Amino acid sequence: MLKEVFQNLNELLYPKVCHTCQSRLTGSNHHLCDWCSEHIFPLANPDYNQSCGIDFLPEKIIFQHALWKFDKGGYLQELLHSLKYHNLPGVGVDMGKALGKSLLKHPMISDFENTRLVPVPLHPQKEQSRGYNQARAIAEGISDVTGFEIIKPKTVIRRKQTKTQTGFNLSQRQQNVSQAFFVAELYSVTITPLIIVDDVFTTGATVFELASTVSRFSAFPIAIATIATA
């Protein structure tokens, strides 16, 4: 009872507001209001095509879907930066909910009944430093909307401390993430279709490498879902 009183008082004194429009947030939203998530950012795949401008997808990847177009210097870049570097995992949850709603409208989602979500893992040192994995925060938002289960932490491990890929071309990105992932618990990636979750899709090097790693142990289809495509 006392805890609830203090919580209500804190919300009265320090109301949560939307990161973009500054309107007061309601319900379970943390940093992004429903109106902004539905209207302010340009959609990356409004026609729900099989991919967002990619000529072909690697084997076993059924579709690749991104919610919004990356806006360099804009609100979306600021949100994604806050998610990764300003200790605001709630931003990822909010954006994940928007991505989850979009996924449910995708015509190819019917092939992913009882699917599991695979957040792209961080290297343990980076996750310890950051305090959380931003891809898992996004997956939590997707799960809240869709009911899709998220694989447990450490099911898939990032065993290679990769360099930041900013400024790398495709070949350099592929080399950077080559053999970066390891499946530590096989059962979870072999019994259902999988949707790999990340924040931004640029060349696809990271998510395709992860897809290649888990596909060795599963005959089920794989999809890629990200908040943005650059």
Side-chain angles (χ1 to χ4, degrees), residues 101-154:
K101 293 175 184 177
S102 182
L103 277 172
L104 289 178
K105 297 176 184 177
H106 200 291
M108 303 188 80
I109 201 66
S110 58
D111 293 328
F112 287 78
E113 186 177 359
N114 300 320
T115 191
R116 291 187 174 192
L117 304 173
V118 183
V120 172
L122 292 175
H123 188 274
Q125 290 181 1
K126 181 174 285 188
E127 184 165 355
Q128 184 177 18
S129 174
R130 186 169 295 170
Y132 57 91
N133 177 1
Q134 73 275 4
R136 181 164 287 272
I138 294 167
E140 288 172 6
I142 296 173
S143 181
D144 286 347
V145 170
T146 64
F148 296 156
E149 181 182 352
I150 309 171
I151 63 167
K152 293 179 181 179
K154 299 182 180 180

Side-chain angles (χ1 to χ4, degrees), residues 187-201:
Y187 180 75
S188 293
V189 301
T190 60
I191 58 174
T192 65
L194 302 172
I195 298 179
I196 294 174
V197 178
D198 205 4
D199 51 1
V200 180
F201 183 98

